[in-house]
Amino acid sequence: MLTLEGCRKRRERLLVEMMHAEFDVAVITSSLMINYFTGVLTDAQWPQAFALRANGDGLLVSNREPQRAPDVRFCMYTGYTTERPFGRHTMHDELTAAMRSFAGPRRAGIEEEHAPAGLAAALAGATRNITPILIEMRRRKDPDELDCMRAVTRLTEAGYAAAKARLEPGMTEYQMFSAIQEAIIAAAGTSVELRGDFAVGTRAIRGGGPPTNRRVEKGDLYILDLFPVYDGYTCDLCRTFCAGKPTAEQQEVWAHVLKGHDAAQRLIRPGAPTRAVYEALRDHLHALPLAAGSFWHHAGHGVGMEGWEQPWLNAGSDQTFVEGEVIACEPGLYDERLRGGIRLEHNYLVTDAGPQALDTFPMEL
């Protein structure tokens, strides 16, 4: 989990951003960003808020006592009671009252997209959306964030080990999902939210999605794009396995997709354009006649607290890489003659010395 020292450093960076933006107080309302600044994992289905004044004072308002004490003030609103009727409206009212009392008549930057209804209007001072600032702050990962991402990566690799060992013709997509989830939970020693694409064979050519009762057939390629969530962080990894001995065509395409990572690694540097990686991968992948033109999706994106973060590696991006961010890079080729497709994904830490993969699980079919 995140360290309190790391959270304090992130709050210090937020104070600098607040000064530049001329905010007197920042009001954070998403569970992800509350964890980012306080180290407290809150329940995203209920309203929460964290406010930080320009003098460094902070207040966390939640519906339950944190599992570990934060190093900021804490206030609990009535999330559940047997004393009176309650509901989301009463929770909003209590949270809003606590935020209004703490923020006062100040210029506020508020994370509007996740704010409880009426919170922005209830703050006495002028308000502006702070989300664009937070999005950029999140790109560069701190050491404790990287520790969280390495931890969830190890869990994901446990899932891949189970998938490779259990894959056989006749099993259903949901049986594969269950095998992966069981391995991840066993490795974590607790429940883990598992998201991903579990479509097998030709069903995966133009997408993926949750598992169905579709059965694996001999010779199918199985693209497993996994993004579990653990301690507030995720990874986004993809491996492709063959149900049986790969054909010569499948091996040829696999080798070509794998070489795409060599092309990407040469271009992933701080300050370099992200679009260049997409263009290089597109040109490389489409040079193989067998599946030319089948690389239809983005080449990658940032990853951290969410599976999709900034920046984007696509044709329309004008972004550049930032040192310390983590990039999911995912070249792929697809064709019915392949019995599906092949997508291979690394998560790279962007450094001056070049990208460093956080994952180590083999790419072999």
Side-chain angles (χ1 to χ4, degrees):
M1 64 177 57
L2 296 179
T3 66
L4 294 181
E5 178 184 4
C7 293
R8 284 193 292 270
K9 290 181 178 179
R10 286 184 283 276
R11 293 200 299 270
E12 289 170 2
R13 292 203 297 271
L14 178 57
L15 290 172
V16 173
E17 296 291 344
M18 289 166 57
M19 180 182 65
H20 292 326
E22 298 183 336
F23 294 144
D24 298 315
V25 63
V27 180
I28 310 301
T29 55
S30 70
S31 60
L32 295 177
M33 295 307 298
I34 289 173
N35 181 42
Y36 185 74
F37 289 118
T38 70
V40 174
L41 287 165
T42 57
D43 191 337
Q45 68 176 319
W46 305 115
Q48 323 279 344
F50 168 68
L52 182 68
R53 290 176 181 162
N55 65 359
D57 290 342
L59 173 68
L60 172 61
V61 182
S62 180
N63 63 317
R64 65 181 63 180
E65 290 279 355
Q67 290 186 343
R68 67 169 180 175
D71 58 352
V72 296
R73 290 168 53 189
F74 174 73
C75 174
M76 186 166 65
Y77 67 80
T78 308
Y80 170 83
T81 179
T82 60
E83 302 301 319
R84 60 170 171 80
F86 67 94
R88 192 170 292 273
H89 66 289
T90 63
M91 301 177 196
H92 285 176
D93 290 346
E94 290 189 31
L95 182 143
T96 298
M99 283 288 106
R100 183 170 55 231
S101 176
F102 183 80
R106 297 175 173 89
R107 295 167 298 181
I110 185 169
E111 192 182 11
E112 292 181 351
E113 288 80 354
H114 303 276
L119 178 58
L123 297 177
T127 62
R128 285 164 46 200
N129 188 9
I130 199 174
T131 300
I133 293 174
L134 301 178
I135 288 173
E136 285 303 308
M137 284 188 65
R138 286 170 54 176
R139 288 182 62 178
R140 183 178 285 106
K141 303 301 188 286
D142 293 315
D144 59 339
E145 293 185 274
L146 291 174
D147 287 344
C148 289
M149 296 189 69
R150 290 187 177 99
V152 72
T153 297
R154 298 291 85 79
L155 298 182
T156 308
E157 292 180 323
Y160 281 130
K164 193 169 181 64
R166 298 278 296 274
L167 176 60
E168 62 180 3
M171 73 184 310
T172 63
E173 291 176 351
Y174 68 78
Q175 287 174 325
M176 175 59 79
F177 171 87
S178 297
I180 293 171
Q181 186 177 51
E182 181 183 13
I184 289 176
I185 290 174
T190 186
S191 60
V192 177
E193 181 182 0
L194 177 58
R195 306 170 185 171
D197 292 325
F198 297 90
V200 69
T202 56
R203 201 171 84 81
I205 288 178
R206 292 295 298 183
T212 69
N213 62 358
R214 198 270 199 198
R215 293 190 180 275
V216 176
E217 298 180 7
K218 186 176 181 180
D220 276 348
L221 291 175
Y222 206 148
I223 293 175
L224 289 166
D225 202 335
L226 307 182
F227 22 101
V229 181
Y230 179 70
D231 270 351
Y233 280 78
T234 187
C235 64
D236 184 355
L237 293 176
C238 188
R239 297 293 188 269
T240 303
F241 303 126
C242 185
K245 184 179 179 180
T247 65
E249 287 183 332
Q250 289 172 335
Q251 287 283 17
E252 179 186 8
V253 174
W254 170 84
H256 194 72
V257 173
L258 184 62
K259 285 182 180 178
H261 279 280
D262 294 336
Q265 289 172 12
R266 290 191 290 268
L267 297 171
I268 299 176
R269 294 289 190 281
T274 63
R275 180 176 61 246
V277 176
Y278 169 81
E279 292 171 345
L281 279 176
R282 178 197 58 202
D283 293 346
H284 167 77
L285 293 170
H286 288 179
L288 186 67
L290 175 59
S294 68
F295 178 57
W296 56 269
H297 52 78
H298 54 259
H301 49 81
V303 63
M305 287 183 285
E306 295 182 286
W308 281 0
E309 294 190 355
Q310 303 299 321
W312 282 93
L313 282 59
N314 59 25
S317 174
D318 60 359
Q319 297 169 302
T320 57
F321 290 108
V322 172
E323 183 178 10
E325 66 187 351
V326 176
I327 302 297
C329 182
E330 48 186 322
L333 287 171
Y334 314 87
D335 195 279
E336 290 190 3
R337 291 170 293 178
L338 296 173
R339 304 285 296 272
I342 294 173
R343 186 161 67 247
L344 304 172
E345 187 172 26
H346 274 310
N347 286 178
Y348 291 115
L349 174 64
V350 179
T351 77
D352 279 331
Q356 300 176 1
L358 299 185
D359 54 296
T360 60
F361 193 85
M363 292 280 197
E364 284 78 7
L365 293 175

